[in-house]
Amino acid sequence: MNDATARKGLSSQKLLSRSRQDAKTAYAMLVPTFILLTLFALLPLGMSLFKSFTDFSFYKTPEFIGFHNYRIVLADPFFRKAVLVAFKLVFLIVPVQFVAAFLFAHLIKEMSTRIGAFVKTTIYIPLVISGIVVGAVFSFIYNYQGGILNSLLNVFGIENQAWIADSTYALYSVAAPAIWQGFGYVTLMMLAGLLDIPKDYYEAAKMDGASAFRRMVYITIPNMKNVFIFIFISGVTGALSLYEIVLMITNGGPGGETLTPVLHLVNHFNNDPTMGYTVAGAIIMAIILGSFSAVIFRIVQSDKAID
C-alpha cells in the first residue's frame, strides 16, 4: 500500500515537473513574438499616445498641452464630416460585400474541384493589387470623356454622367471599387466557414425534411457566427480606414463628400508641421474602432465553437 502511494506520488511529481518544463518552453518560444510586438506595436502606440498630449513637431521641443489636440479634433467640422462619410461607406460596402460573398461562396462550394480552384484564385487577385492601382483603374472607368462606363451608357442612348464630380454618385463611385477589391477575400472566408460545417448536419436535416432555407437558418448561420463576426468587424475596419482608393479617385471631393478620416488626417499633416492634431485624430479613430468591435462582441457573445 505504501509502495503504491509512493509510486503515485512520484508519478505526480514527474507530471508536475514535465508540465513546468513545457510551460517554460512555451514562454521561451513566445519571447521573440513579445519583443517584436513591443517594438513595433506597443512602443509606437505609447509614443503616439504621449505625443497626442503635446504640441509635438519636428522643429521644437514638445510641450505638454493636455487634451487640447483632442478638443481641436472633435470641434473640427471637417473631421466630424469625414467620420460621417466613413460610416456612410460602411453601410454601402459591408452589407453588399457580405451578402454577395455569402451567396457566391455557396456557389463555389457546389462547383467541381478544378473549376472551384480556378474561381477561388481568380476572385482573390484584386486583393493583391495595390489600392492605388485599383483607384487609378476605376478613375479611367469613371472618366467623363471616353470612360468605359459612360461609353456603355452611350450605347443605350444615356448621356455622360460625372460619376466623380457629382455629389450624387461620388460616394458610390468610391464604394464600388472597395467592394470589388475585398470581395474575393470575404468570399474565401465565407467558403472556409461553410466547408468547416460537418456534412452530417445537413444530411440529418434533409432526412427530417428540412428545406434549404431552414437548413441555412438553423445550421449554416449558427455555425458560421464567428466567421460572420470576424468578416463584419474586418469589413467595418477596412471601410473606416479607406484611403488609397479615395485618394486616387476623388481625393475627398466634391466638396468633401468622399473625404475619409484617414485622408483628412494625412492632408492635415501635410499642411501642418505639428503632429498633435494628426495623432490625436488617429487615436480617436482607434477608440471608435475598438469600441465598435467591443460592442459587437458583447451583443453577439461569440463562442469558440457551436459544437
Side-chain angles (χ1 to χ4, degrees):
M1 190 73 173
N2 292 333
D3 292 341
T5 303
R7 284 196 296 271
K8 288 183 179 179
L10 183 60
S11 177
S12 299
Q13 291 179 357
K14 288 182 178 179
L15 289 174
L16 182 61
S17 176
R18 181 178 298 176
S19 177
R20 288 175 178 175
Q21 186 64 34
D22 291 342
K24 290 179 181 179
T25 303
Y27 287 132
M29 295 178 67
L30 288 173
V31 167
T33 302
F34 180 75
I35 293 175
L36 292 174
L37 181 66
T38 301
L39 291 177
F40 296 104
L42 298 179
L43 187 59
L45 180 61
M47 294 175 63
S48 299
L49 186 63
F50 168 75
K51 290 177 181 178
S52 69
F53 292 103
T54 68
D55 60 347
F56 178 85
S57 73
F58 297 104
Y59 308 104
K60 65 176 183 178
T61 303
E63 295 181 5
F64 183 80
I65 56 176
F67 289 93
H68 179 69
N69 289 322
Y70 291 92
R71 288 193 292 267
I72 294 177
V73 172
L74 294 175
D76 188 350
F78 293 102
F79 179 80
R80 294 202 299 266
K81 185 175 182 178
V83 173
L84 180 61
V85 168
F87 277 102
K88 288 181 180 179
L89 286 171
V90 168
F91 286 107
L92 287 175
I93 296 172
V94 176
V96 175
Q97 208 172 58
F98 192 94
V99 174
F102 183 69
L103 297 176
F104 198 69
H106 276 84
L107 182 62
I108 297 177
K109 184 182 177 184
E110 301 301 323
M111 294 178 179
S112 64
T113 304
R114 181 176 298 179
I115 297 176
F118 173 77
V119 173
K120 286 185 287 186
T121 303
T122 304
I123 64 173
Y124 191 78
I125 291 176
L127 187 66
V128 301
I129 301 175
S130 169
I132 297 294
V133 176
V134 172
V137 170
F138 273 82
S139 295
F140 289 116
I141 294 175
Y142 295 139
N143 193 17
Y144 185 80
Q145 294 291 345
I148 298 175
L149 188 54
N150 280 332
S151 297
L152 291 175
L153 293 177
N154 294 156
V155 175
F156 298 97
I158 302 175
E159 296 181 354
N160 290 351
Q161 302 293 324
W163 302 105
I164 298 174
D166 192 334
S167 59
T168 305
Y169 308 115
L171 202 60
Y172 297 99
S173 300
V174 169
I179 294 172
W180 175 76
Q181 187 179 31
F183 175 74
Y185 170 76
V186 179
T187 300
L188 293 182
M189 291 298 297
M190 290 284 190
L191 180 62
L194 289 174
L195 295 176
D196 194 49
I197 302 174
K199 294 181 180 180
D200 297 343
Y201 293 0
Y202 294 103
E203 293 174 357
K206 284 182 181 180
M207 293 178 62
D208 291 338
S211 63
F213 178 76
R214 292 178 67 87
R215 292 197 299 269
M216 179 181 294
V217 172
Y218 294 104
I219 297 177
T220 304
I221 294 178
N223 281 276
M224 289 187 64
K225 182 175 68 172
N226 294 332
V227 177
F228 288 160
I229 294 173
F230 175 77
I231 291 174
F232 185 71
I233 292 178
S234 60
V236 171
T237 303
L240 290 177
S241 307
L242 205 60
Y243 171 65
E244 293 97 341
I245 292 176
V246 180
L247 175 67
M248 292 301 298
I249 296 178
T250 63
N251 196 26
E257 292 298 322
T258 61
L259 182 67
T260 60
V262 177
L263 181 59
H264 170 67
L265 293 174
V266 171
N267 290 340
H268 191 280
F269 174 73
N270 291 333
N271 299 323
D272 189 344
T274 61
M275 289 185 60
Y277 179 101
T278 303
V279 176
I283 290 176
I284 290 174
M285 288 305 302
I287 292 173
I288 292 175
L289 291 171
S291 302
F292 183 84
S293 301
V295 169
I296 295 299
F297 277 112
R298 181 66 177 176
I299 292 175
V300 181
Q301 294 180 349
S302 172
D303 301 318
K304 289 184 178 179
I306 300 297
D307 55 353

